[in-house]
Amino acid sequence: MKALDVNDLWRSSAGKLQKILNADIYSRWIEVIQPVECRESTLILAVDNDFYQEWLEENYLPLIQQAVNSSTDQQLEIKFVIQARAKADSTTDAPQAEKTRRKTIRERLGISTRQASSPLNSGYTFDEFIVGPCNNFAHAACLAVAQAPARAYNPLFIYGGNGLGKTHLMHAIGHHILKDARAAVRYISCETMLNEYIAALQDQSMPEFRKAYRSIDILLIDDIQFLAGKDALQEEFFHTFNALFDARKQIVMTSDRPVTEITRLEKRLVTRFEWGLVTEIEPLDLETRLAILHHKLHNMQTSLPDEIITFIAENVRSNVRPIEGALTRAVSYASLTGRPLTIDSLKHLLRDTLDNEKQEEITFDVIQRTVAEHYDVRLSDMTSTRRPRDIAAPRQLAMYLCRKMTRSSLPDIANAFRKTHATILHACKTVENRMAVEPELRDEVRTISTKLGKRLV
Ligand code: ADP
Ligand code: MG
């Protein structure tokens, strides 16, 4: 391949990446890549330094590979090399891009403690949060923290599945505190924090980064599970955490899983995250789903027949996002067509949502049966206390699969196996550890999960 082709190939691949990545990520991580050459079916791409190299290899290589594959018939391996920017400067407007990039980093770090840089969603308030059996503990804990920051529970750790209101509650804490205090509230997703951290390393502005984080009064970090395996950030965050905690500042974190299930998270962080209060938002119950629907309808200043509301509440269960989507569609149908909405037309309108919901419905019973069958053990052994390894191991695997493949809460899973919460967590950990070193077990998990209709590994 000639040099020109490399540029074309990269331009086309980058174009594809631009379409799927958000603009910030694209300009930070992809725009900085320079194509070098294609040699012996290797596409060589240059970046400025080893941060970029490692970060791209660890996080974006599969995406980049995909984009390159779809831009050429050749099977190319991708290799990053470190190369100073000077060479490429003559052909592109890279210096300008670099200047802009540095400026935004500074701007970001400079204003990061001000409210303007972490706008809270104005709709995510306590008033707009519907409290029900599935989330009342989490809600009460958040309210307590908002009313007495750093005195009630510190840190506060909220975990639960997707779309169950973790981010909403976190913003609500921020709004509540800002209502009557001039505190420095900072809401940030863990991924953005990581980007800022790397930018600060790049930019040699770590002192500013630290200063910015340590001058925060209320730190709200969303999706902390993103720390998994990011050792350097964990180290940095450990010190930030300690500094804030010692200065009696409030820290709130959310995660899509319990602390102990975040893989490759340093022990000392696990311990600290559990210092204050850990609270779970459980999967939505019918009562809460109905209350959410009524509340949102009220906000939309409209109404729907009871049977329509009940149908949505009974059939769209996974999380609040598809419930909101279903509601919007139902409401707009009536106003767009001018015809009353029937259950049949609603079913048609929501067919994709309903299909998704069905696919996600894997029950404990089906998992237990499938596992028992696969290992040729009795179904009753799934809930027994018999200890022989040929029974205990499949049982642990079934627990693990219930945790991974259903949205049910730990207590519900524990119930289904007639075991304690701790036993389930232990089983999950054991299976994960074994899978890391036993390829045969991974194969078995793949086979069983495929049988269950949702391949896991
Ligand atoms: P998560 O962060 O847990 O993934 P979000 O907080 O982003 O979920 O919530 C998803 C959407 O559902 C948001 O629009 C949020 O306002 C809404 N939502 C979630 N839980 C509730 C609730 N209990 N009451 C009202 N709205 C909710
Ligand atoms: Mg969220």
Side-chain angles (χ1 to χ4, degrees), residues 161-168 187 222-223 254 321:
N162 237 337
L164 297 182
K166 301 182 297 295
T167 300
H168 186 136
Y187 163 84
D222 214 354
D223 294 314
T254 71
R321 287 192 194 107

Side-chain angles (χ1 to χ4, degrees), residues 123-124 128-131 135 160-169 222-223 284 288 292 295-296 320-321 324:
Y124 289 179
E128 290 300 318
F129 191 83
I130 301 301
V131 186
N135 59 25
N162 237 337
L164 297 182
K166 301 182 297 295
T167 300
H168 186 136
L169 276 178
D222 214 354
D223 294 314
L284 296 165
T288 311
I292 290 176
H295 181 79
K296 307 248 165 195
V320 183
R321 287 192 194 107
E324 289 175 339

